[in-house]
Amino acid sequence: PRLERSRVVEPWCDADAGAAEAPGATYIHDLLTDAQHLSEARFGAFMEQLRGVAFIKDAQGRYIYLNAASASLLGVAVEDALYKTDQEIWPADLAAIYRKSDEEVLREKKAFEAIEPVMQNGEIRSWLMYKFPIVDGASGQTYIGCIGVDIAGRQQLEDRVLQSRKFELVGRMAGGVAHHFNNLLTVITGYSRM
């Protein structure tokens, strides 16, 4: 038997690796018998726990893998997105942006990192997307792998920190100006008493 794409193995444990058996744990060696399937199970367990989105597309831009977080974060069911392109899932303007970066990865055969707009729960948010080529050594086919993290909240936090630093700087400058003004008044007052 093989693990399904959307199955979450939680908690996961490889009993063959000497881990103590725990009640409720899913032991991968019980589900898979050969090394390739064991490797796939470990990959699946790892990807399902990832807090961001992760997906793989073929050279035509069709999704061939999405982790479970993709479904919950983006509001797209894994089953509904598999084997579809961005043009079939997202608004045309977003799909064009995604396709352009995918084409760059395929053309250059290099990783691509950028902030891309992503539709999340009906609103556009900024996501840091890291796309990279995955080349199948046997067939020579190139796939596009991607890991994405929502950074909109982080950007807002950075903006607030920057704003508070500006206020702190203005406060220090005002305090310095007041101190210098007070020194000048002390000198003027001293001369006026003479």
Side-chain angles (χ1 to χ4, degrees):
R2 296 183 73 177
L3 284 177
E4 296 297 319
R5 275 184 199 166
S6 59
R7 180 168 180 186
V8 176
V9 179
E10 183 179 5
W12 109 212
C13 179
D14 182 358
D16 289 337
E21 293 201 18
T26 300
Y27 293 94
I28 293 174
H29 78 285
D30 293 338
L31 300 173
L32 308 169
T33 55
D34 67 353
Q36 182 179 4
H37 288 156
L38 181 59
S39 176
E40 288 176 14
R42 286 179 177 151
F43 169 79
F46 174 78
M47 294 307 287
E48 296 308 318
Q49 297 304 314
L50 185 68
R51 297 284 183 232
V53 298
F55 56 82
I56 300 173
K57 296 179 188 176
D58 64 14
Q60 289 74 40
R62 293 182 301 242
Y63 289 92
I64 60 171
Y65 172 83
L66 289 115
N67 68 337
S70 297
S72 63
L73 291 171
L74 304 177
V76 176
V78 172
E79 301 79 31
D80 294 339
L82 281 177
Y83 309 109
K84 290 188 179 171
T85 65
D86 291 319
Q87 291 80 3
E88 296 172 285
I89 300 171
W90 308 113
D93 55 337
L94 295 178
I97 293 169
Y98 305 154
R99 189 64 193 158
K100 184 177 177 185
S101 61
D102 291 351
E103 288 171 352
E104 183 174 334
V105 170
L106 291 170
R107 183 178 59 253
E108 300 293 327
K109 301 265 194 275
K110 287 194 223 174
F112 174 88
E113 184 176 322
I115 296 173
E116 292 185 345
V118 174
M119 181 73 72
Q120 184 179 6
N121 299 323
E123 69 174 292
I124 302 289
R125 296 180 60 90
S126 296
W127 281 65
L128 178 61
M129 304 299 272
Y130 181 73
K131 295 182 178 184
F132 49 93
I134 301 171
V135 180
D136 182 344
S139 70
Q141 278 191 302
T142 302
Y143 298 90
I144 302 157
C146 181
I147 304 273
V149 180
D150 183 359
I151 60 168
R154 188 169 77 183
Q155 282 181 327
Q156 291 169 351
L157 179 62
E158 287 175 0
D159 290 344
R160 283 189 291 210
V161 168
L162 182 61
Q163 187 69 21
S164 70
R165 286 184 181 165
K166 287 179 184 176
F167 284 135
E168 180 183 350
L169 181 61
V170 168
R172 285 185 184 181
M173 287 175 36
V177 168
H179 179 74
H180 288 297
F181 188 68
N182 191 28
N183 286 345
L184 287 173
L185 284 178
T186 302
V187 171
I188 292 170
T189 306
Y191 280 118
S192 66
R193 289 186 184 161
M194 292 173 133

